[in-house]
Amino acid sequence: EVQLVESGGGLVQSGGSLRLSCAASGFTFSSYWMTWVRQAPGKGLEWVATIKQDGSEKYYLDSVKGRFTISRDNAKNSLYLQMNSLRAEDTALYYCARDGQRLGISDYWGQGTLVTVSS
Amino acid sequence: DIVMTQSPDSLAVSLGERATINCKSSQSVLYSSNNKNYLTWYQQKPGQPPKLLIYWASTRESGVPDRFSGSGSGTNFTLTIDSLQAEDVAVYYCQQYYTTPPYTFGQGTKLEIK
C-alpha cells in the first residue's frame, strides 16, 4: 500500500525556517517524480515544488524561489522541503504527493503537515 | 504561467441529478504531437487530501466510479458527475500539467446537495 507521511510542520516566526519531511513507503520511491502542494486555511490548492527521480531537475513556484529548497534521499525513501525566510503568506497545510503516470499527475497524497508563520 | 479558471465557484445539485463543472485555461494544454490534453481533475472532501479523479482530461483513475467523466480539449474542459450521490459532496479542482511546472490549479468548485 502506498503511504506518504509528512512531518516537520509547526509554528514559526516570520523570517524563520522549517524543514518538512515526507516518508514514503509501498512503492519504489526512486522511480517517481515527487511534489509539494500547499493549501492555506480555507483556500484552494497551490503547487509549490517538484523534483525529478534522481534530484537532477527541480521546479519551484515563483513566490518561493530562493527561499524553499526541495530535495530527496532515495536511500531513505524521503522527500524534503527546506523552508527559509518564512512569511505569513506561507501559512498552509503542506501536502507531499507522488507523480504517478507522469510528471504532473499526482496519484497519491499524504495527509499534510501544517505550517503556521506568525508575524 | 497558465491561469486556470473554474466555473461556477459553487454548485448545488439534487441527489440523482447531474453536476457539471467547467474549467478554462488561459492557453491551450493540448500537446499537438500526441494529441493529449494535459489536464487533471481532483476531488477534495472536508478534512482529506485531494484525490485524483481524471487525468489526460478524460481518463478515469483506477477505482473512480464511472459516474465521473471528463471532457473537453484545448482550453475548455468539463467534469461531469452523473446521478449525484451524497458522498460526492466535495470541492473539485482542475490542474494543468502542460510542459514544465508551474502546474497551476483552478480556484476550486464547491459541490453541495440541493
Side-chain angles (χ1 to χ4, degrees):
Chain A
E1 178 194 4
V2 172
Q3 284 199 320
L4 297 168
V5 180
E6 302 93 337
S7 60
L11 176 64
V12 62
Q13 286 194 328
S14 180
S17 298
L18 277 177
R19 188 195 196 205
L20 306 185
S21 299
C22 172
S25 61
F27 64 101
T28 304
F29 180 72
S30 59
S31 296
Y32 293 87
W33 289 80
M34 296 294 296
T35 288
W36 288 99
V37 172
R38 68 185 179 184
Q39 187 168 36
K43 303 297 184 183
L45 302 171
E46 183 173 50
W47 171 87
V48 174
T50 291
I51 186 168
K52 194 175 180 178
Q53 290 91 332
D54 62 359
S56 62
E57 291 183 42
K58 304 176 184 181
Y59 299 95
Y60 297 95
L61 180 68
D62 279 351
S63 62
V64 309
K65 278 180 188 173
R67 301 188 299 122
F68 290 10
T69 302
I70 188 172
S71 63
R72 63 193 296 161
D73 186 334
N74 288 341
K76 294 183 178 180
N77 292 333
S78 292
L79 176 71
Y80 306 102
L81 187 67
Q82 177 67 44
M83 309 164 67
N84 298 331
S85 302
L86 282 161
R87 305 167 180 168
E89 55 265 35
D90 297 318
T91 293
L93 186 63
Y94 284 74
Y95 293 105
C96 157
R98 184 188 86 167
D99 285 3
Q101 291 276 335
R102 66 140 270 161
L103 166 62
I105 303 175
S106 299
D107 59 355
Y108 284 92
W109 298 63
Q111 292 295 315
T113 187
L114 182 62
V115 172
T116 303
V117 183
S118 66
S119 52
Chain B
D1 296 353
I2 299 175
V3 177
M4 307 300 290
T5 304
Q6 293 180 226
S7 61
D9 289 334
S10 64
L11 180 64
V13 175
S14 300
L15 290 173
E17 298 299 305
R18 172 179 291 180
T20 301
I21 298 170
N22 300 301
C23 175
K24 185 176 180 67
S25 58
S26 61
Q27 66 186 73
S28 177
V29 297
L30 172 63
Y31 196 46
S32 56
S33 65
N34 60 10
N35 201 38
K36 287 188 172 185
N37 288 283
Y38 285 57
L39 184 110
T40 54
W41 287 98
Y42 295 93
Q43 174 194 64
Q44 187 178 32
K45 296 182 179 180
Q48 295 185 19
K51 174 187 174 182
L52 176 65
L53 294 177
I54 304 279
Y55 55 94
W56 300 128
S58 61
T59 302
R60 203 178 301 115
E61 172 72 335
S62 175
V64 173
D66 60 8
R67 64 178 182 274
F68 291 89
S69 62
S71 62
S73 185
T75 61
N76 289 285
F77 300 91
T78 300
L79 175 69
T80 301
I81 309 171
D82 285 319
S83 188
L84 189 73
Q85 306 295 303
E87 62 262 32
D88 299 334
V89 168
V91 179
Y92 292 85
Y93 296 92
C94 61
Q95 184 193 24
Q96 62 80 21
Y97 52 100
Y98 188 72
T99 64
T100 56
Y103 292 152
T104 42
F105 288 91
Q107 80 275 19
T109 295
K110 185 175 184 180
L111 176 60
E112 299 173 314
I113 303 296
K114 186 186 291 182

